[in-house]
Amino acid sequence: MTAARRAPGRVLGFLRELGDTASALWWRFFDWLAQVAWRKLIIIWVLVLLLDLTPFGQPEQALAFILASFGLKVLAGGKRKAELEARQASAHAGEESLERRLVEARLAALQAQVEPHFLFNTLALIGQLIETDPPEAARIHAHLIDYLRATLPQMRAKGNGTLGRQLDMARAYLAIMQARMKARLAVSIDVPAEIQSASFPPMMLQILIENAIKHGLEPKIEGGRIDIRASVTGKQLQVDVIDDGVGFSAHAGDGMGLANVRERLQLLYGSRAELVIEAPLTGGARATIRLPYAPDIFANGGTR
């Protein structure tokens, strides 16, 4: 009986150790990708493709590995750069500017992040659809490329982007989420073209959309709708992300993403900007960012 009682504990201990080992190996691989030269990584891809020509080749797995390692290399490189900038800010900042430099370093780290689970889930979905629905797999692959093209410049950008560029990234991200959630996600974007050149901090719109899907729509069995709106009143730009999901608890504090948005708005604009989270009478949630309206007439010919 004693041995029988100990058996479940040993199994749980083994599973816990297995999970810890897998996690450690994963982060070592991630850090290796951050440091390995692109030339060496390309050589590895060529070897994988050559192996694929042998009788032991697995085309789907080879393609998935190349896509995943490419995406992770981009993400890992951004992460590594952000970490180095954070270290330099901590080491060289003077006492007066230390707090500001550290916040800017955290901002760089945030801009260098793309949710790994989102990338993995998208690649896994593409892998499944390659066999069952190749045209749909090609469409999602194209959306993923559009998303990375829109996201990578935001990661490396210094200072503010424009509302138009944030919308490009939002459209590509939402197209992928619609492919995953199917009829459970409806989207509406109502942003006048003449205000899309307005300055708007990178990644903020993305955070509000991710928050609406994760906390509002995904927990709702039938899904729901996201509305993105923007308007200008006087000298103030207002951007709203509205969902009809399960709503939010008035007693729950901001998550890391929303807290970071508030911190960045304070850093960039002081009391002239704010993030407001409300519960509409119709249900769901409304996240609103208000900041000074500053159109960039030189952004992409004046339209973005």
Side-chain angles (χ1 to χ4, degrees), residues 267-282:
L267 171 68
L268 294 171
Y269 304 103
S271 61
R272 297 178 298 151
E274 62 178 345
L275 168 65
V276 179
I277 308 295
E278 300 174 305
L281 296 177
T282 54

Side-chain angles (χ1 to χ4, degrees), residues 115-130:
E115 177 61 47
H117 293 297
F118 165 69
L119 178 62
F120 297 152
N121 291 340
T122 303
L123 291 173
L125 179 61
I126 292 173
Q128 294 172 7
L129 291 174
I130 286 176

Side-chain angles (χ1 to χ4, degrees), residues 227-276:
D227 292 286
I228 302 173
R229 303 172 185 170
S231 59
V232 174
T233 303
K235 296 183 179 181
Q236 186 177 67
L237 171 66
Q238 176 170 318
V239 177
D240 299 302
V241 175
I242 307 166
D243 71 78
D244 60 355
V246 299
F248 66 98
S249 171
H251 303 289
D254 289 346
M256 183 179 298
L258 295 181
N260 202 299
V261 169
R262 292 189 193 278
E263 185 179 32
R264 291 171 58 196
L265 287 175
Q266 175 65 30
L267 171 68
L268 294 171
Y269 304 103
S271 61
R272 297 178 298 151
E274 62 178 345
L275 168 65
V276 179

Side-chain angles (χ1 to χ4, degrees), residues 40-87:
K40 291 185 178 180
L41 189 57
I42 292 174
I43 291 175
I44 293 175
W45 291 343
V46 172
L47 292 175
V48 170
L49 292 175
L50 291 176
L51 180 62
D52 192 43
L53 299 177
T54 69
F56 305 98
Q58 297 291 333
E60 292 81 7
Q61 287 81 349
L63 177 61
F65 171 77
I66 292 174
L67 288 174
S69 58
F70 171 80
L72 288 173
K73 172 62 176 174
V74 173
L75 300 182
K79 173 179 177 289
R80 187 71 171 180
K81 181 180 178 182
E83 290 175 347
L84 291 175
E85 290 179 353
R87 291 176 185 174

Side-chain angles (χ1 to χ4, degrees), residues 10-153:
R10 291 177 178 175
V11 172
L12 290 176
F14 174 78
L15 292 177
R16 188 179 299 109
E17 184 178 356
L18 182 64
D20 292 341
T21 302
S23 177
L25 290 175
W26 153 247
W27 285 113
R28 287 182 184 178
F29 175 66
F30 194 81
D31 288 337
W32 173 79
L33 276 176
Q35 301 175 57
V36 68
W38 277 103
R39 180 184 179 87
K40 291 185 178 180
L41 189 57
I42 292 174
I43 291 175
I44 293 175
W45 291 343
V46 172
L47 292 175
V48 170
L49 292 175
L50 291 176
L51 180 62
D52 192 43
L53 299 177
T54 69
F56 305 98
Q58 297 291 333
E60 292 81 7
Q61 287 81 349
L63 177 61
F65 171 77
I66 292 174
L67 288 174
S69 58
F70 171 80
L72 288 173
K73 172 62 176 174
V74 173
L75 300 182
K79 173 179 177 289
R80 187 71 171 180
K81 181 180 178 182
E83 290 175 347
L84 291 175
E85 290 179 353
R87 291 176 185 174
Q88 291 174 358
S90 299
H92 302 294
E95 291 185 2
E96 294 183 357
S97 61
L98 177 60
E99 182 177 354
R100 180 180 178 88
R101 281 176 170 265
L102 289 176
V103 172
E104 289 176 345
R106 289 198 296 271
L107 169 59
L110 176 67
Q111 292 178 196
Q113 285 180 347
V114 172
E115 177 61 47
H117 293 297
F118 165 69
L119 178 62
F120 297 152
N121 291 340
T122 303
L123 291 173
L125 179 61
I126 292 173
Q128 294 172 7
L129 291 174
I130 286 176
E131 298 181 356
T132 60
D133 191 350
E136 180 68 6
R139 281 190 290 270
I140 298 177
H141 180 246
H143 289 318
L144 180 59
I145 291 176
D146 291 340
Y147 176 76
L148 291 174
R149 282 176 175 168
T151 303
L152 296 182

